């Protein structure tokens, strides 16, 4: 077929591919409008200690689409990641979460809460990321020590020294740093030791089969031990059953997030949960 030479090029016009590209472009345009129209929302999921007290929340983005209803982040964040849209969304998340944090810091029953936000690697790697965090903190007048940034291992694969320098500036503001989805990426242990992290977050995929899959059991134990050895807090995500919780507690994990404790909910529902519970 390759011998057909020039005529072959016509085959690059693949109607299926064309459709995929068009629908992605449409989605991206839709998403940009959604951001401007206020259709993006943050929900907050509790993070608990061994006594089941809510010690913090993770902010998780949703798109309230006028026709399609609530769209989960995995359906639109990857599309946003392909353009600068992820930077605008990231900025919106940072400011929305800080505004909410400022509200909570005024309420006695909520003022102890840590708020964690997810930061995309693109966002972290922009030259003005530090400045945008500093601006959000001061604009909303929040106590920066209650703000936690969840980073993934993809942040680290590039220039470790540059990443470390950035992290140290954030740490100097008081901001906490967590390594999300730990165990799923490629970061080496050497990085772990070098970086000024506060927390490791065990990925949900390891927690899920903890009680039935021996290799996940080994993995989770190893992560907890490692975190303890490096003096990092460790939190398990996706805790759904008492059995998973018991295993995690038994092996020294002291913070938990998952449906067992609560699903992500709008801030107004969380007020009720923490005060009532
Ligand atoms: P993540 O940061 O690892 O967030 C945890 C995900 O696990 C959330 O999914 C949460 O709803 C879900 N989860 C928590 N506990 C349980 C459980 O017990 N069982 C099950 N089945 N799931 C549980 P969600 O909200 O769909 O978010 C998916 C991912 O989208 C996040 O994973 C994060 O990578 C990304 N994301 C969410 N919000 C943002 C954001 O504001 N900015 C960026 N850049 N990414 C975000
Ligand atoms: Mg996260
Ligand atoms: Mg995670
Ligand atoms: Mg995850």
């Amino acid at each position: 077929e390759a011998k057909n030479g020039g005529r072959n090029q016509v085959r690059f016009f693949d109607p299926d591919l064309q459709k995929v590209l068009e629908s992605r472009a449409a989605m991206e345009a839709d998403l940009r409008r959604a951001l401007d129209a206020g259709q993006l929302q943050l929900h907050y999921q509790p993070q608990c200690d061994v006594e089941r007290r809510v010690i913090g929340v993770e902010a998780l983005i949703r798109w309230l689409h006028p026709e399609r209803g609530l769209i989960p982040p995995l359906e639109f964040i990857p599309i946003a990641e392909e353009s600068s849209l992820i930077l605008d969304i990231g900025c919106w998340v940072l400011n929305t979460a800080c505004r909410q944090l400022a509200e909570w810091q005024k309420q006695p029953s909520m003022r102890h809460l840590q708020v964690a936000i997810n930061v995309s690697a693109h966002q972290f790697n922009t030259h003005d990321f530090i400045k945008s965090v500093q601006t959000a903190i001061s604009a909303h007048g929040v106590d920066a020590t209650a703000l936690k940034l969840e980073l993934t291992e993809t942040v680290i694969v590039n220039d470790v020294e540059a990443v470390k320098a950035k992290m140290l500036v954030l740490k100097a503001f008081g901001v906490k740093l967590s390594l999300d989805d730990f165990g799923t990426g490629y970061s080496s242990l050497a990085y772990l030791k070098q970086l000024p992290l506060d927390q490791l977050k065990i990925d949900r995929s390891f927690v899920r089969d903890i009680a039935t899959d021996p290799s996940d059991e080994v993995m989770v134990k190893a992560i907890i031990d490692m975190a303890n050895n490096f003096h990092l807090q460790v939190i398990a995500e996706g805790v759904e059953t008492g059995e998973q919780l018991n295993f995690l507690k038994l092996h020294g994990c002291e913070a938990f997030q998952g449906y067992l404790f609560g699903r992500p909910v709008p801030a107004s529902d969380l007020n009720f949960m923490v005060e009532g519970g």
Side-chain angles (χ1 to χ4, degrees):
E1 279 181 87
K3 287 180 201 148
N4 287 345
R7 266 189 297 158
N8 241 359
Q9 286 177 353
V10 136
R11 296 167 54 112
F12 280 96
F13 182 81
D14 176 337
D16 289 338
L17 178 62
Q18 183 75 11
K19 264 191 207 136
V20 170
L21 294 177
E22 276 169 8
S23 85
R24 289 212 141 210
M27 179 95 162
E28 196 188 311
D30 240 27
L31 189 50
R32 189 167 287 284
R33 277 190 296 270
L35 178 62
D36 296 335
Q39 291 171 10
L40 298 184
Q41 301 185 341
L42 289 182
H43 283 193
Y44 298 88
Q45 185 179 30
Q47 300 181 329
C48 297
D49 66 9
V50 283
E51 315 288 346
R52 284 184 175 248
R53 282 183 298 240
V54 180
I55 50 177
V57 293
E58 177 178 9
L60 293 157
I61 198 169
R62 274 94 183 88
W63 176 3
L64 187 57
H65 193 283
E67 283 118 46
R68 296 172 54 196
L70 211 58
I71 305 181
L74 293 180
E75 284 181 36
F76 64 90
I77 289 292
I79 290 171
E81 292 269 8
E82 285 174 12
S83 71
S84 64
L85 194 48
I86 191 63
L87 304 180
D88 297 327
I89 291 177
C91 190
W92 178 85
V93 169
L94 180 62
N95 279 286
T96 305
C98 282
R99 187 176 307 119
Q100 184 59 60
L101 179 57
E103 280 303 307
W104 282 332
Q105 289 184 340
K106 286 181 212 144
Q107 301 170 26
S109 64
M110 307 295 275
R111 79 162 42 118
H112 66 288
L113 288 184
Q114 287 267 328
V115 173
I117 65 172
N118 293 285
V119 174
S120 110
H122 288 126
Q123 189 187 355
F124 184 87
N125 288 323
T126 56
H127 69 91
D128 58 355
F129 179 65
I130 298 278
K131 198 162 172 232
S132 66
V133 174
Q134 193 178 28
T135 306
I137 289 169
S138 62
H140 299 284
V142 295
D143 171 4
T145 61
L147 182 67
K148 187 181 288 170
L149 305 182
E150 293 194 0
L151 308 168
T152 58
E153 291 165 272
T154 49
V155 159
I156 304 166
V157 293
N158 300 324
D159 180 349
V160 187
E161 280 309 315
V163 168
K164 183 180 172 186
K166 232 174 211 189
M167 286 180 166
L168 286 171
V169 177
L170 292 164
K171 294 290 301 168
F173 297 162
V175 172
K176 303 285 191 296
L177 301 173
S178 177
L179 196 54
D180 203 354
D181 301 335
F182 188 70
T184 61
Y186 302 95
S187 65
S188 80
L189 292 181
Y191 293 168
L192 258 197
K193 209 178 79 177
Q194 281 181 55
L195 298 174
L197 294 165
D198 298 283
Q199 184 184 67
L200 286 189
K201 211 166 174 187
I202 306 175
D203 191 63
R204 179 153 64 87
S205 60
F206 301 114
V207 174
R208 191 178 47 219
D209 302 324
I210 232 174
T212 51
D213 184 336
S215 66
D216 284 343
E217 191 179 312
V218 169
M219 186 74 185
V220 168
K221 279 194 220 166
I223 295 175
I224 296 171
D225 281 349
M226 196 162 53
N228 289 338
N229 288 332
F230 286 132
H231 304 289
L232 300 174
Q233 192 202 44
V234 61
I235 181 166
E237 70 177 19
V239 182
E240 294 185 355
T241 68
E243 199 180 13
Q244 292 165 343
L245 177 63
N246 289 339
F247 178 96
L248 290 159
K249 275 189 188 168
L250 184 69
H251 294 286
C253 182
E254 294 182 342
F256 316 92
Q257 179 180 344
Y259 295 170
L260 184 65
F261 303 91
R263 293 189 176 242
V265 291
S268 51
D269 295 1
L270 194 89
N271 275 319
F272 179 71
M273 269 174 37
V274 175
E275 281 162 356

